[in-house]
Every structure is written in structure tokens, then in C-alpha cells.
Amino acid sequence: MRNLLVTGGAGFIGSNLTLELQRRYPNSRIIVLDDFRSGDFQNLRGFRGDFIAGDISRSDWASRLRGHAFDAIFHEASITDTTEHNQLLQCHDNIEGFRRVLEFAAPNRIPIVYATSAATYGIASGIQSEEQGLLPANVYAFTKVQLENLARDHTRHDSGWKIIGLRYFNVYGPGEAHKKSAASMIYQLYRQIRDGKAPRVFRGGEHRRDFVYVKDVVNLTIRALSAPASDVFNCGSGHSFSFNEVIEVLNKCTGSTRPTEYFENPYSFYQPHTEANMNKAERVFGFKPEWEPARGIADYVGWLSKG
Ligand SMILES: NC(=O)c1ccc[n+]([C@@H]2O[C@H](COP(=O)([O-])OP(=O)(O)OC[C@H]3O[C@@H](n4cnc5c(N)ncnc54)[C@H](O)[C@@H]3O)[C@@H](O)[C@H]2O)c1
């Protein structure tokens, strides 16, 4: 782990990953690639590596980096606003960006860990396992399915090249504030409570999500490199927590007693329940999430209240 490339490293997960890689491998050379479309330089406070600003689907980063012997590439760059419905833009930037990463890595079979998403499961509800069918419900999720298809195509006849996809569930934690309305519900609800407002959720508040703490996400992302072969893995907490339960924990951590405000759900379909089956990551590379939601939220609130 001497030479590492992180795309999307100014973003939420990418910056947490970059700083943890730097902490674990202090003698490594880390290069971050990002075009700041949703990232923020402030996430990289304390970063000692190199930074290349540019769009991975358009700029000439590959020729500039040719000759660097990378030990691994972590690909986090992506349009992450799922309400961006411009199909050409989503597909061009996300799919062509990844295709260029694959083309760059191919000659030396550089191992790649890339971010896909639980959004690939689409409207399927309940406990989600890697082998079930994918039903992307928006163009963002469609691009992630295409990433998985591309990775499979590139490794089908090449067992010597490792490309690992991670289906992240609902990630929360330090470094997500720049995502604004695309930040996690945990962050949105914390902000409402902190500002003295009532936490607001859809009527009932019983929709359940697999909220996974970014510390677990970073650990799993690094550990995934030890998977013996190319594959796709869920990356969740393995628990589901309702929005009401999130509010209960936030109230406990902040001392707020303001009642929750419920409002009509404007969506004709809204997933009632997501939950990652985490057996495969445990079986294949021994990863077990450490942060069940109540503990993760409490840790995060501790961090937020210092800021
Ligand atoms: N946060 C979640 O809950 C979640 C869930 C599922 C999947 N993911 C995936 O995890 C990855 C990281 O997401 P995040 O939450 O950190 O979001 P983020 O928006 O904070 O990070 C994405 C980063 O990629 C950069 N970027 C986007 N397109 C780029 C391009 N073409 N060239 C260069 N840089 C580009 C952005 O500027 C940003 O810094 C993404 O691939 C996302 O789709 C995140």
C-alpha cells in the first residue's frame, strides 16, 4: 500500500477514506482526484498527499498519472445527487468516468475497489442480499448497475485482476455537511433539532433504513481489498432503524423534547424498509460492522456538537 489513488476524495466517504489510509499507511503516496462538483477541500484538512483537480470522465488525468505504479485505486467519484434526472449527464459522467479508471488500471491489473449503491436494489424492500435481482428506479441507480456490469465484463476472463464493488447503504457521519439536501436523514434531523425546530418526517415515521456509519464504511472499503477475487458486496450496518427511532436517539443525545412533526409523503412509492444482509462480507473477508445505529448516531452527535 505505497501508492494509492482515490477518486472523489474531496467528498464525504472519499475524504474519510483518504485520511484513514494516510493514518494507516503514513509512508504511502496518496493521490486524490476530484472536480469539486459536490466535494469540498475542507474535508481534506490534514491531507499530506497530492491532489489533481479535474473531471475523471473528461480531463487528461490518465496521461498525467501514467508511469505511477499504484497498488490500489479506490473509486468514489460519482454524481451523488439522486434527484439529478439528466440522463445523459448522469450516464456520461458516472459510466465514462469508471470506464476511464478501468482503462487506466488494465495494463498493470491494478486492484480497484469502487462504490456502487444499495439503490441498485431499487424498489425491493426488506433484507437485501447480493444475489437478488437489481431493479434501478432512477438514473443514478442505473449508472451504478452499469458500473457493476462493466466491472464484471472486465474480469470475466481475467481472474488475475481484482475489481471489488461495494453497495453502500445509507451512509452517515462526519464530513457530509457539504452534501446539503443530499446529506443523510440523520444529519438533516440533527440540524432541525439543533436549530430548535421540530424534527420532520413522513407520516408515521416508520420507514426503516439501514443507516451505516462512515467509520464502518471506511473499514470495509479498505478490508475489501483482501477479498480473494472480483465480486460485489453489501456495505451496511446489518440493522434497520426507523426514522422515529433515529429521532428518539437524537433527542436522547441532544436533550430535546420537541415533538416530531409528521407530514404527507409526496411520493407514490417510497421504500418502507432497507436492510443489508452482511453475511457475505463476513464470510469472504471477515468484516463485521462495529457501529450499530444507536451507538453510531451518539458518536456522530458528539462530533457534530463540537463543530
Ligand atoms: N453517502 C451515501 O449514503 C452513499 C450511498 C450509496 C452509494 N454512495 C456512493 O459512494 C460514493 C461517495 O459518495 P459520497 O456520499 O461521499 O458523496 P460526495 O458527493 O460527498 O462525494 C462524491 C465526490 O466525487 C466528486 N466527483 C463527482 N463526479 C466526479 C467526476 N466526474 N470527476 C471527479 N470528481 C467527481 C465530487 O466532487 C465529490 O467530491 C459515490 O460513488 C456514491 O454514489 C454513497
Side-chain angles (χ1 to χ4, degrees):
M1 298 287 262
R2 273 197 301 240
N3 279 298
L4 302 168
L5 178 63
V6 183
T7 73
F12 166 38
I13 299 170
S15 60
N16 276 284
L17 174 66
T18 300
L19 295 176
E20 181 61 16
L21 287 167
Q22 177 175 275
R23 194 187 67 77
R24 286 192 200 182
Y25 308 104
N27 297 322
S28 62
R29 177 159 197 260
I30 304 177
I31 300 181
V32 165
L33 262 171
D34 203 294
D35 69 355
F36 293 115
R37 74 180 63 196
S38 63
D40 194 306
F41 79 93
Q42 303 207 47
N43 288 333
L44 284 172
R45 247 183 244 136
F47 177 50
R48 297 189 300 272
D50 196 0
F51 189 97
I52 299 179
D55 175 347
I56 52 158
S57 69
R58 295 185 176 82
S59 72
D60 66 347
W61 60 271
S63 56
R64 289 178 60 189
L65 291 180
R66 199 102 41 222
H68 286 252
F70 287 106
D71 298 300
I73 299 175
F74 296 93
H75 177 59
E76 299 288 338
S78 172
I79 295 176
T80 51
D81 180 355
T82 56
T83 63
E84 170 56 74
H85 298 303
N86 182 328
Q87 302 189 39
L88 176 60
L89 182 75
Q90 280 268 15
C91 289
H92 178 273
D93 293 16
N94 291 356
I95 301 171
E96 296 317 312
F98 188 51
R99 201 189 309 275
R100 283 165 141 228
V101 170
L102 291 169
E103 281 164 5
F104 175 77
N108 296 313
R109 304 289 184 269
I110 304 168
I112 300 173
V113 179
Y114 69 97
T116 165
S117 171
T120 53
Y121 293 119
I123 56 175
S125 230
I127 299 179
Q128 286 142 340
S129 303
E130 291 87 344
E131 63 277 8
Q132 77 190 57
L134 302 181
L135 280 172
N138 56 30
V139 66
Y140 163 79
F142 172 79
T143 68
K144 294 296 191 186
V145 175
Q146 294 313 305
L147 262 55
E148 294 189 16
N149 293 346
L150 267 176
R152 205 180 319 108
D153 270 1
H154 280 73
T155 50
R156 186 172 288 137
H157 305 295
D158 191 347
S159 57
W161 190 11
K162 201 156 66 178
I163 307 180
I164 309 289
L166 301 177
R167 291 185 188 146
Y168 295 149
F169 277 66
N170 288 64
V171 190
Y172 66 96
E176 62 169 321
H178 66 277
K179 292 180 73 177
K180 301 195 174 78
S181 63
S184 72
M185 270 303 284
I186 291 172
Y187 178 70
Q188 313 288 353
L189 291 166
Y190 169 81
R191 283 286 304 269
Q192 291 163 7
I193 293 170
R194 188 204 62 185
D195 295 347
K197 297 179 190 149
R200 296 185 82 237
V201 289
F202 294 151
R203 193 165 302 288
E206 284 307 314
H207 294 101
R208 304 184 74 80
R209 292 286 176 272
D210 186 318
F211 293 106
V212 55
Y213 200 28
V214 71
K215 293 183 181 179
D216 269 335
V217 171
V218 165
N219 284 337
L220 187 147
T221 303
I222 299 171
R223 183 82 72 87
L225 268 178
S226 66
S230 298
D231 212 334
V232 173
F233 298 91
N234 278 345
C235 178
S237 68
H239 295 268
S240 83
F241 228 48
S242 72
F243 294 145
N244 283 335
E245 286 170 315
V246 169
I247 293 169
E248 203 182 305
V249 176
L250 287 171
N251 282 343
K252 206 163 126 201
C253 296
T254 57
S256 168
T257 51
R258 200 175 279 267
T260 303
E261 209 176 283
Y262 296 100
F263 64 103
E264 252 0 284
N265 177 357
Y267 302 108
S268 56
F269 186 86
Y270 193 70
Q271 267 176 311
H273 179 173
T274 68
E275 186 174 337
N277 177 333
M278 290 301 295
N279 292 342
K280 188 172 169 185
E282 184 175 358
R283 195 179 66 245
V284 177
F285 50 87
F287 177 83
K288 262 178 118 153
E290 286 174 19
W291 294 89
E292 57 84 25
R295 205 164 77 83
I297 295 169
D299 189 73
Y300 186 26
V301 170
W303 183 87
L304 284 166
S305 51
K306 279 191 228 134

